[in-house]
Amino acid sequence: MMMISNRTWIVALALAANFTTANCQKPTANGTTAFTTTYQLGIGSTSILDTYLSQEKFKGAGITLLTTSERQRPDSRWATMIQNELNFTSAEDRAETVNELQGDYTLFVGRYHGWQFKRLALQVGGMAAVNFGFIYNTSNSNNPAQGRASIDVMPSAVATYGFRLFKLPWSARYELEIPLVGLMFSPNYGQSYYEIFSLGDYDRNLVPTTFISMPNLRQQLSLDCSVSRSTTLRIGYLGDYQQSEVNNLKSHIYHHRLMIGVVRNFTISKRP
């Protein structure tokens, strides 16, 4: 299993604080638009199962980079959210003799309608997600890697509650996505990538999915503390649970991440 030193984690977290960007755009009464930019970096555990490569479950440590961008036009209750999530994990089996490397990138694009109830803000809408990734088994000589690709449509909801503590403004935020329908790539049981791409033998490799065959779930819980007018500290949890059962193959990737980030605020005024 690949080990990552404490110094490496510290440097990575410092970079996340300096290059924060997750645009959150909100209209103000005088036509000035407020922007909030954030990067989040996370570390934690991952559990991997892919029966195309092995019947064994693999567990290890991973890292996640997450950016979020939210845009809202003045005088509109509708907002557009864009998220970019990048994961990498090194894991090993229970006997600690076989390693797997896993990585994936997901683009989320969502549209939300919002309501404001004093300190509580609610957003309800939907997201489209495009995912590309891989799992590489370092011990397999035949079919050592598994490619991953999928497109999903998912209902989504966000709740944000603002409050004051220790004379500072805080906010707690919870976000949830559950895929409803989609399309994913998968080899069939016993089918090699050579047969798919070199011989052109198609065998139901593009599979329609639902919440039954691909019961994924993604959730975020974060806590923000504003330490100055332009800077906010963020800490939170990201749970990204990907699983599927198609073409007689089972797969799951469960990410659990402790996330940290720095939020910076600025405003842009429209010229008359």
Side-chain angles (χ1 to χ4, degrees), residues 40 66 83 173-175 218-222 237-238:
Q40 292 184 79
L66 175 66
Q83 297 189 30
R173 183 178 184 274
Y174 179 73
E175 179 182 334
R218 182 173 181 265
Q219 60 180 347
Q220 298 181 65
L221 177 63
S222 61
Y237 166 78
L238 169 65

Side-chain angles (χ1 to χ4, degrees), residues 154-227:
M154 54 187 72
S156 178
V158 182
T160 305
Y161 182 79
F163 60 96
R164 295 190 67 86
L165 183 64
F166 305 120
K167 298 182 179 180
L168 294 173
W170 297 68
S171 64
R173 183 178 184 274
Y174 179 73
E175 179 182 334
L176 176 68
E177 290 95 31
I178 302 176
L180 187 62
V181 294
L183 183 71
M184 73 173 291
F185 165 81
S186 174
N188 216 315
Y189 181 80
Q191 184 184 29
S192 69
Y193 278 79
Y194 174 78
E195 293 175 296
I196 298 173
F197 295 107
S198 296
L199 301 181
D201 292 340
Y202 176 82
D203 188 7
R204 199 172 179 268
N205 302 124
L206 293 178
V207 186
T209 58
T210 67
F211 60 92
I212 298 175
S213 61
M214 198 173 180
N216 296 354
L217 185 145
R218 182 173 181 265
Q219 60 180 347
Q220 298 181 65
L221 177 63
S222 61
L223 184 65
D224 290 359
C225 176
S226 298
V227 295

Side-chain angles (χ1 to χ4, degrees), residues 119-166:
R119 296 184 177 182
L120 177 65
L122 296 178
Q123 294 174 288
V124 177
M127 268 192 169
V130 180
N131 173 270
F132 298 96
F134 70 91
I135 302 174
Y136 176 72
N137 188 300
T138 60
S139 299
N140 283 4
S141 57
N142 186 30
N143 294 339
Q146 166 75 303
R148 298 171 58 85
S150 64
I151 301 174
D152 297 291
V153 176
M154 54 187 72
S156 178
V158 182
T160 305
Y161 182 79
F163 60 96
R164 295 190 67 86
L165 183 64
F166 305 120

Side-chain angles (χ1 to χ4, degrees), residues 99-111:
N99 287 74
E100 283 189 345
L101 301 177
Q102 182 274 329
D104 68 85
Y105 165 76
T106 308
L107 170 66
F108 301 90
V109 180
R111 187 72 170 164

Side-chain angles (χ1 to χ4, degrees), residues 26-84:
K26 298 180 181 179
T28 59
N30 60 1
T32 299
T33 302
F35 292 84
T36 304
T37 61
T38 305
Y39 264 145
Q40 292 184 79
L41 185 68
I43 56 175
S45 64
T46 299
S47 174
I48 303 171
L49 170 68
D50 194 305
T51 57
Y52 181 78
L53 300 174
S54 172
Q55 298 295 322
E56 279 286 338
K57 294 181 180 179
F58 291 75
K59 294 184 178 181
I63 186 170
T64 295
L65 176 64
L66 175 66
T67 69
T68 304
S69 172
E70 186 175 343
R71 297 182 176 88
Q72 184 175 346
R73 295 183 301 176
D75 304 321
S76 174
R77 290 184 177 271
W78 289 94
T80 300
M81 184 184 298
I82 299 175
Q83 297 189 30
N84 296 273

